[in-house]
Amino acid sequence: MDDTPVVLGINRTQDASICLMQGSHLAWAIQKERITRRKHHWGKPGDLREHYAPRLPGLERPVDIVVECFSSDEEIRSLPLYEEELAAALTLSQGHRRARISHHLAHLYSVFHPSPFDNAAVMVIDGQGSPVSDFTEAWPGAAGTPGDWREVSSFYTATRSEIRCIGKQVWDRDDGRLVGLGMFYYLLTQAIFPGEGNEGKVMGLAPYDDPAALGLPALEVEGMAVGIPSAWRSLLRERSRFRFGSAEARFTDCANLAAAGQRAFEDALLALAHWLYRQTGAEHLCFAGGTALNCSANERLLRETPFRRVFLPPAPSDAGTALGCAIYGLTELAGRPCDFRWSADYLGPPPQLADIEAALNGATDLVIERPRGRDALCARMLDLLCSGRVIGLYQGRSEFGPRALGHRSILADPRRDRIRDWINARVKQREWFRPLAPVVPEERAAAYFDLAGASPFMQFAAPVRPEVAPMLPAITHVDGTARLQTVGPADDPLLRALLAGFEVRTGVPVLLNTSFNGKDEPIVETPFEAVAAFRQMPLHALVMPPFLVTKRSEPELPV
């Protein structure tokens, strides 16, 4: 009899997500936004019944362990509704086990256990975490912590057998003065680009001006605590002056604020990492929380701290906590070792060929080819790319994190300068200053990028080598860096073949890669969504192996 536990992890907060494991085998992990098509969709009572169970395989089976995490008072007040939902939407095995864990504990389990390290220091930094009195672990000095305190950063040492919390920075809501590195970057983003999930825009804008122009001070860093100086708090209230795109805001002011904020964030993050190293002496660092999506800061962590290696999961933000919940259930409730390692990020439910065929059935406006084998398919893709055309690529299981890594991607020729502006303006319909990413074989990366190791999850803004930057204008940002994805020998075979073929034809083993989604939409998940997005965008081809699809009326070429 198979006694391998079936474990379900559910993140009920922002970037709601769910993960199913059978022992160390990860069946799938997916964000709610990929199902509902609403970016950064929060968790709500009814998600299991309305969104997850109808769409995701395996939830009809008995579940042995369920672990959830929450982060807001509203979610915690809704616990009776979540309880009813679990009982109604799932079949729970006899003797099943349940747990609710803190937001930061879920981050911790999402980054350390799937890392390649047997021991490491762990740093979790996000906006405000969860109330520290709810579902939280003990840490030094935690006794008597008021219920209105919130964790903003957490620091740990971890081995495969023991995890120890060194300490946390908490925010006292009664005090009213916002603190913490994640909260600082959130306030910075809201001053320039209000709304959810716009932190990447600040990072992209920052290189366009001078971090010293506004005369702002460094953030206040004392040990593991980060404070926001009064000069920053005052300036960030001047919303009309810095609101990008408004009639009152000048581009220079917006860019200067982004540059100053990015520099202050990076310097404070390095100070925290150095403090953590002094506390632990660890060789390796694991880093999670929404701030770990900052590629420019991550590059400095690699180069300017004593840690020998740094691991960041491909989904370090709240979405990744569903996996953390599942791993907590596996290791702490079932007492099983976790053999899952985050070596690839293709974790979505696998699409079926029948669904791809159904999405293309009756598409009289499209020309559908079926090349004979991968080599023939790659040859057709290369014909299109080398002639300046832009391709949507939909293949296999979707990426779990926010980066498109060749399964839900838009690809183009990085040697063509104008193709960047054309993709930003026409395809993505977004700000002109947003960078586009390169993808390169891991063994060829060092010839083109100054990178301290592999970057399979597009998490580091590596300098483009000056001698090759003029050859790659579409992926070289204004500061001479690029947010790089490397593809190792054992990674995706279609991407590997495509990159090798592009080098044979052009002498350059690099392609431009950006996410396959329209304006204000999540990345496409299903074949039907891929075809719909292809129709709406001026893309020239859509590759959905084994098919290659073009339009009977071809869009204009980038000029």
Side-chain angles (χ1 to χ4, degrees):
M1 180 177 178
D2 185 6
D3 64 348
T4 305
V6 175
V7 185
L8 189 67
I10 311 175
N11 159 42
R12 299 288 197 176
T13 185
Q14 185 184 31
D15 291 326
S17 53
I18 186 168
C19 172
L20 183 69
M21 299 183 74
Q22 183 167 9
S24 289
H25 170 69
L26 196 148
W28 44 254
I30 190 171
Q31 285 182 240
K32 179 182 176 182
E33 68 169 27
R34 301 292 184 92
I35 296 172
T36 64
R37 313 306 301 158
R38 288 178 54 187
K39 288 191 76 171
H40 308 293
H41 206 170
W42 282 71
K44 298 291 182 185
D47 284 347
L48 273 168
R49 181 181 62 255
E50 297 170 17
H51 302 303
Y52 297 147
R55 289 280 299 273
L56 300 171
L59 291 180
E60 72 284 355
R61 298 176 51 194
V63 175
D64 301 306
I65 297 173
V66 180
V67 179
E68 304 165 275
C69 69
F70 302 79
S71 71
S72 76
D73 291 331
E74 180 180 351
E75 295 157 21
I76 294 166
R77 284 193 293 268
S78 298
L79 284 180
L81 296 176
Y82 288 115
E83 288 284 335
E84 293 174 12
E85 175 193 27
L86 283 176
L90 294 179
T91 300
L92 299 173
S93 66
Q94 186 176 7
H96 69 273
R97 283 157 288 182
R98 300 261 310 277
R100 302 186 186 101
I101 62 175
S102 78
H103 188 67
H104 276 213
L105 199 59
H107 273 306
L108 164 67
Y109 277 77
S110 79
V111 65
F112 174 68
H113 284 283
S115 80
F117 311 138
D118 288 330
N119 54 78
V122 185
M123 181 165 65
V124 176
I125 303 173
D126 62 5
Q128 66 178 35
S130 54
V132 297
S133 62
D134 294 297
F135 326 131
T136 194
E137 80 279 12
W139 75 92
T145 300
D148 54 2
W149 284 17
R150 305 217 170 224
E151 52 193 354
V152 298
S153 57
S154 303
F155 304 89
Y156 307 84
T157 58
T159 70
R160 294 286 164 189
S161 59
E162 181 184 19
I163 290 174
R164 181 170 64 88
C165 184
I166 297 172
K168 294 177 180 281
Q169 181 179 11
V170 297
W171 165 49
D172 183 355
R173 290 193 301 177
D174 288 341
D175 179 76
R177 186 167 59 93
L178 297 172
V179 298
L181 193 52
M183 181 55 70
F184 166 75
Y185 212 87
Y186 170 80
L187 295 172
L188 173 71
T189 302
Q190 291 302 303
I192 309 173
F193 302 104
E196 286 188 287
N198 290 323
E199 284 75 9
K201 296 182 182 182
V202 176
M203 186 175 62
L205 180 60
Y208 281 88
D209 233 306
D210 181 6
L214 298 175
L216 289 160
L219 300 182
E220 299 162 347
V221 183
E222 184 176 349
M224 63 180 175
V226 176
I228 306 172
S230 59
W232 271 106
R233 296 198 302 271
S234 298
L235 199 70
L236 292 175
R237 296 190 192 103
E238 298 183 34
R239 296 293 176 90
S240 61
R241 177 182 173 186
F242 298 110
R243 185 66 51 84
F244 185 88
S246 70
E248 298 85 357
R250 298 187 307 159
F251 176 81
T252 297
D253 283 340
C254 297
N256 280 334
L257 182 61
Q262 178 68 27
R263 175 69 60 82
F265 172 83
E266 291 178 11
D267 290 346
L269 181 67
L270 290 179
L272 292 178
H274 278 277
W275 173 85
L276 182 58
Y277 179 80
R278 291 193 299 270
Q279 301 302 306
T280 65
E283 283 191 290
H284 309 308
L285 173 66
C286 294
F287 179 27
T291 58
L293 288 170
N294 195 299
C295 302
S296 300
N298 293 343
E299 178 69 13
R300 292 187 66 190
L301 279 179
L302 278 179
R303 295 180 184 275
E304 301 179 37
T305 69
F307 293 105
R308 190 162 64 87
R309 294 172 66 191
V310 176
F311 175 76
L312 302 101
S317 62
D318 289 358
T321 59
L323 176 57
C325 286
I327 291 175
Y328 179 93
L330 177 67
T331 58
E332 303 300 330
L333 300 188
R336 303 292 183 92
C338 177
D339 298 324
F340 171 78
R341 299 292 180 269
W342 222 326
S343 57
D345 189 41
Y346 309 124
L347 306 184
Q352 303 301 312
L353 178 60
D355 291 333
I356 295 174
E357 292 173 336
L360 296 171
N361 186 41
T364 56
D365 57 324
L366 304 177
V367 178
I368 302 168
E369 304 174 41
R370 187 167 185 167
R372 294 190 174 184
R374 191 182 67 202
D375 291 345
L377 180 63
C378 279
R380 287 287 290 119
M381 294 174 72
L382 290 167
D383 290 340
L384 293 162
L385 291 166
C386 291
S387 63
R389 286 163 173 82
V390 180
I391 297 176
L393 175 58
Y394 177 102
Q395 61 158 336
R397 302 174 64 162
S398 61
E399 300 89 344
F400 181 43
R403 314 291 191 210
L405 302 172
H407 279 204
R408 303 291 186 272
S409 287
I410 293 171
L411 303 177
D413 184 346
R415 302 170 303 155
R416 301 170 184 266
D417 190 10
R418 293 185 178 180
I419 214 163
R420 173 183 55 200
D421 294 336
W422 188 84
I423 289 174
N424 274 334
R426 295 289 315 282
V427 177
K428 307 285 281 187
Q429 299 182 37
R430 64 183 192 178
E431 297 82 3
W432 60 268
F433 59 81
R434 302 281 291 277
L436 299 174
V439 55
V440 61
E442 182 182 316
E443 66 274 17
R444 302 287 286 122
Y448 293 84
F449 305 94
D450 183 6
L451 181 70
S455 179
F457 306 135
M458 203 186 289
Q459 295 165 311
F460 301 101
V464 183
R465 294 200 180 278
E467 63 271 22
V468 302
M471 299 164 49
L472 301 170
I475 56 86
T476 302
H477 201 32
V478 67
D479 60 354
T481 68
R483 189 179 67 194
L484 173 65
Q485 177 195 356
T486 58
V487 185
D491 294 341
D492 187 86
L494 178 59
L495 268 185
R496 292 278 301 183
L498 197 60
L499 290 165
F502 195 72
E503 182 173 23
V504 168
R505 296 203 188 189
T506 68
V508 176
V510 182
L511 285 171
L512 181 154
N513 174 23
T514 190
S515 57
F516 191 177
N517 60 291
K519 179 179 173 61
D520 299 326
E521 292 181 345
I523 296 173
V524 298
E525 177 63 28
T526 70
F528 294 91
E529 291 158 7
V531 172
F534 175 58
R535 284 189 168 113
Q536 292 166 5
M537 298 174 177
L539 298 175
H540 302 98
L542 169 63
V543 175
M544 304 172 72
F547 302 106
L548 185 145
V549 184
T550 54
K551 295 170 179 171
R552 295 194 181 277
S553 178
E554 184 181 52
E556 64 177 352
L557 294 179
V559 294

